[in-house]
Amino acid sequence: MSSLVADLLRHCGGTAVIDGGLATELERHGADLNDPLWSAKCLFSSPHLIRQVHLDYLENGADIITTASYQATIQGFKAKGYTDEEGEAMLRRSVEIAREARELYYKGCECCSGDGADGRILKQRPILIAASVGSYGAYLADGSEYSGDYGDAITIETLKDFHRRRVQILADSGADLLAFETVPNKLEAEAYAQLLEEEDIKIPAWFAFNSKDGVNVVSGDSLMDCGSIAESCNKVVAVGINCTPPRFIHDLIVLLKKVTTKPIVIYPNSGETYDAEVKQWVQNTGVTDEDFVSYVTKWRELGASLVGGCCRTTPATIRKIYRVLSSSESAIHGKE
């Protein structure tokens, strides 16, 4: 395991808190994300909003913030009329914005520490920045990251060529680790693992797969097969699940524990259903924050070491996760 992640987990008492959904919060702050670039659009239209959302999560207990680069690709920016150089600059900017938010947070901690009168959690602590790498399907913006069906024409070499430059740039931009998110199939996991080794990427990574049945990843590939790829890659320091309904997480952790000894990372969505045709979440199909958080202690008992939220979760969700994990940590030490 990376000493960076190991040190964070040790500092957090064994379980660290990841941030929650980015796009939902950007929209709440007034951003219009009806665009193939999705939240990455804000890298050039409203970077201050991204910085504010990062800060909101830190002030609600997140130990790890993920950059606004999930849908940011050089190819995607090019389709919007940007040059390769401008696209690369925006990838770097995604990490810079997260670093700026971390510095702002640390400055706030210097003024007052603990739980502020306004409810903010201000605690000097290690904070990691995870550079988000969305799948090839996320770039296509056609919902295929939720099906994993890229067609027969897409090979492992296609995927490596697609991701290579982006991964190199994000790895060299000052992030602490790479977060390969919503990985929908075994092929893309293999492409990522090979890229990390071949390009001698210097920072650690995690792989987070998504599932719609609690057994396999969304393509139908075996989660255990996918987890084994992460387990065998020395550059990968954690493996888990994101953007998956909370009700499936228990069984998925059990499966992953059969094939990996690495820390388990878990950040589900709210359980709402995404309609790829209209590019909207179906209202009233998810769980409440209370129900979401009720799962957290069990996930921790099963072996989850990094826990947060994905789409449609908010700073309020993360705050509740922080509270649950903090109270259970206090209870554990109280018994010693």
Side-chain angles (χ1 to χ4, degrees), residues 6 8 37 39 50 57 67 83 87 95 103 137 157 172-173 179 181 190 280 290 296 298 311 324 326 333 336:
L8 175 68
L37 291 175
S39 54
I50 299 174
Y57 278 117
T67 61
T83 65
V95 177
E103 286 309 307
E157 293 304 322
D172 292 338
S173 294
E181 306 187 285
E190 289 172 334
Q280 286 183 347
E290 286 68 25
V296 169
K298 187 62 180 174
C311 298
V324 166
S326 297
H333 286 302
E336 291 174 352

Side-chain angles (χ1 to χ4, degrees), residues 118-277:
D118 54 3
R120 292 181 299 160
I121 297 162
L122 298 171
K123 198 166 77 171
Q124 195 78 34
R125 63 192 192 279
I127 291 166
L128 299 187
I129 292 167
S132 171
V133 181
S135 68
Y136 178 68
Y139 152 71
L140 296 176
D142 61 359
S144 58
E145 78 258 49
Y146 300 112
S147 71
D149 182 9
Y150 293 165
D152 295 337
I154 300 300
T155 66
I156 194 166
E157 293 304 322
T158 313
L159 294 173
K160 283 160 62 176
D161 289 345
F162 174 79
H163 288 294
R164 182 175 286 106
R165 184 68 185 135
R166 173 200 200 187
V167 168
Q168 289 170 335
I169 289 166
L170 288 172
D172 292 338
S173 294
D176 298 301
L177 68 157
L178 294 168
F180 293 94
E181 306 187 285
T182 324
V183 185
N185 56 43
K186 184 179 172 182
L187 187 71
E188 197 147 25
E190 289 172 334
Y192 289 147
Q194 289 183 23
L195 264 186
L196 290 171
E197 300 287 0
E198 291 168 5
E199 301 300 325
D200 193 25
I201 299 301
K202 301 298 185 194
I203 62 173
W206 79 48
F207 284 7
F209 300 93
N210 58 336
S211 172
K212 54 190 176 188
D213 62 6
V215 178
N216 302 307
V217 298
V218 292
S219 64
D221 292 337
S222 156
L223 175 66
M224 290 172 67
D225 287 350
C226 291
S228 296
I229 293 166
E231 173 67 12
S232 62
C233 179
N234 291 331
K235 306 280 186 178
V236 175
V237 296
V239 57
I241 304 293
N242 78 300
C243 213
T244 295
R247 67 182 182 276
F248 293 140
I249 298 299
H250 177 287
D251 291 348
L252 295 168
I253 295 176
V254 171
L255 289 172
L256 281 173
K257 293 291 280 185
K258 291 179 180 178
V259 296
T260 187
T261 56
K262 295 178 179 180
I264 304 288
V265 53
I266 296 296
Y267 50 120
N269 57 33
S270 65
E272 288 171 85
T273 305
Y274 184 73
D275 186 331
E277 291 291 319

Side-chain angles (χ1 to χ4, degrees), residues 1-203:
M1 192 198 319
S2 155
S3 61
L4 204 65
V5 174
D7 289 348
L8 175 68
L9 293 177
R10 196 160 38 246
H11 188 275
C12 296
T15 314
V17 180
I18 308 171
D19 61 6
L22 180 63
T24 316
E25 285 302 291
L26 288 170
E27 287 176 326
R28 190 173 68 80
H29 282 288
D32 175 13
L33 303 185
N34 185 18
D35 190 282
L37 291 175
W38 200 38
S39 54
K41 176 186 176 187
C42 291
L43 290 170
F44 53 85
S45 66
S46 41
H48 63 288
L49 294 184
I50 299 174
R51 189 183 308 110
Q52 184 58 53
V53 173
H54 286 324
L55 191 56
D56 288 347
Y57 278 117
L58 293 173
E59 291 176 347
N60 281 279
D63 303 302
I64 301 173
I65 50 175
T66 49
T67 61
S69 50
Y70 176 81
Q71 208 123 342
T73 64
I74 296 164
Q75 298 89 335
F77 286 129
K78 201 165 188 175
K80 298 290 288 186
Y82 292 92
T83 65
D84 286 354
E85 291 73 21
E86 287 169 332
E88 291 178 9
M90 279 186 273
L91 285 169
R92 293 187 187 95
R93 186 74 184 113
S94 71
V95 177
E96 284 172 11
I97 293 167
R99 288 169 64 97
E100 289 164 7
R102 179 168 63 182
E103 286 309 307
L104 280 171
Y105 179 77
Y106 282 148
K107 281 180 183 168
C109 292
E110 289 170 9
C111 303
C112 46
S113 192
D115 289 9
D118 54 3
R120 292 181 299 160
I121 297 162
L122 298 171
K123 198 166 77 171
Q124 195 78 34
R125 63 192 192 279
I127 291 166
L128 299 187
I129 292 167
S132 171
V133 181
S135 68
Y136 178 68
Y139 152 71
L140 296 176
D142 61 359
S144 58
E145 78 258 49
Y146 300 112
S147 71
D149 182 9
Y150 293 165
D152 295 337
I154 300 300
T155 66
I156 194 166
E157 293 304 322
T158 313
L159 294 173
K160 283 160 62 176
D161 289 345
F162 174 79
H163 288 294
R164 182 175 286 106
R165 184 68 185 135
R166 173 200 200 187
V167 168
Q168 289 170 335
I169 289 166
L170 288 172
D172 292 338
S173 294
D176 298 301
L177 68 157
L178 294 168
F180 293 94
E181 306 187 285
T182 324
V183 185
N185 56 43
K186 184 179 172 182
L187 187 71
E188 197 147 25
E190 289 172 334
Y192 289 147
Q194 289 183 23
L195 264 186
L196 290 171
E197 300 287 0
E198 291 168 5
E199 301 300 325
D200 193 25
I201 299 301
K202 301 298 185 194
I203 62 173

Side-chain angles (χ1 to χ4, degrees), residues 313-327:
T313 61
T314 69
T317 319
I318 300 311
R319 184 184 192 79
K320 290 186 172 98
I321 291 173
Y322 167 82
R323 292 280 182 228
V324 166
L325 293 176
S326 297
S327 60

